Amino acid sequence: MIKLFENPEHKNLFVNDLSSGQMIQANQHVIIHNGEGIVLDPGGHKIYTKLFAKLSSQLKSNGLKHIFFSHQDPDIIAAANGWLMVTDARAYLSALWMRFIPHFGVDEMVVGRITPIPDAGMVVHLGGVPLKLIPAHFLHSPGNFQLYDPVSKILYTGDLGASLGTEYAYVEDFDAHVPAMEGFHRRYIANNRALRTWAKTVKNLEIDMIAPQHGALFPTPELSRRFIEWAENLQCGTDLLADCYPIPA
Ligand code: FE
């Protein structure tokens, strides 16, 4: 696993090479504090066994305390049942998506271990650290959260900040990186209004790094600030809607 931050009590790790074939590239993030772990957006079935094996080298059994689902997409939630069956962890998912989760084959007996996240967000305690689940609705999912770790000062942004097709794990040249993000953000992110609310919100946080779920990370305060400014000025989603669609012929 790749280290993003480490002090004697606290570690932020990620893996970015578990996807294969037709799967979209994804980063799986893990935070460990005083022997307690949380996994963020753990991914689908094919990733589950590989990630679980990697986690076992970092955490004692029963060390995984929490599982965070930023939203309801299959690349995030499809293996929810597996994770809940083999660990005692508690999972967190937007209250909006709770009724959909049985469709992913989550067993009755473990569904009670999923805590619905209210629209306003909440705090999850990891070995004493208050991790903040920050509302980021409509970016892209209508019930969507990001996670801020106040120790490492990393903001985990889920699909926001996602990039495709780059070979590098960390952004160095922001302007050169923009084309790798544009297509996804223009089509999937709801609109500029939602981005401006988000930008105003996260400007209240001290951010050293922005870590999306797909593609390259923004590894410095300066690159994180550049990303926030880019996002708050982006026209996307419903901003770009035509007046009327042509009827397919
Ligand atoms: Fe998604």
Side-chain angles (χ1 to χ4, degrees), residues 71 73 75-76 140 159 184 213-214:
H71 61 295
D73 276 347
D75 57 329
I76 285 163
H140 64 91
D159 278 343
F184 170 80
Q213 197 218 343
H214 305 284

Side-chain angles (χ1 to χ4, degrees), residues 59 151 193:
L59 273 174
V151 176
R193 172 80 178 77

Side-chain angles (χ1 to χ4, degrees), residues 199-238:
K200 213 169 174 180
T201 306
V202 300
K203 281 178 184 175
N204 295 311
L205 300 170
E206 200 183 320
I207 299 172
D208 281 356
M209 186 184 298
I210 284 182
Q213 197 218 343
H214 305 284
L217 283 61
F218 303 88
T220 65
E222 170 62 13
L223 285 161
S224 301
R225 188 185 62 78
R226 288 289 309 271
F227 175 72
I228 295 167
E229 282 172 7
W230 176 80
E232 74 180 328
N233 289 301
L234 185 73
Q235 296 294 302
C236 60
T238 57

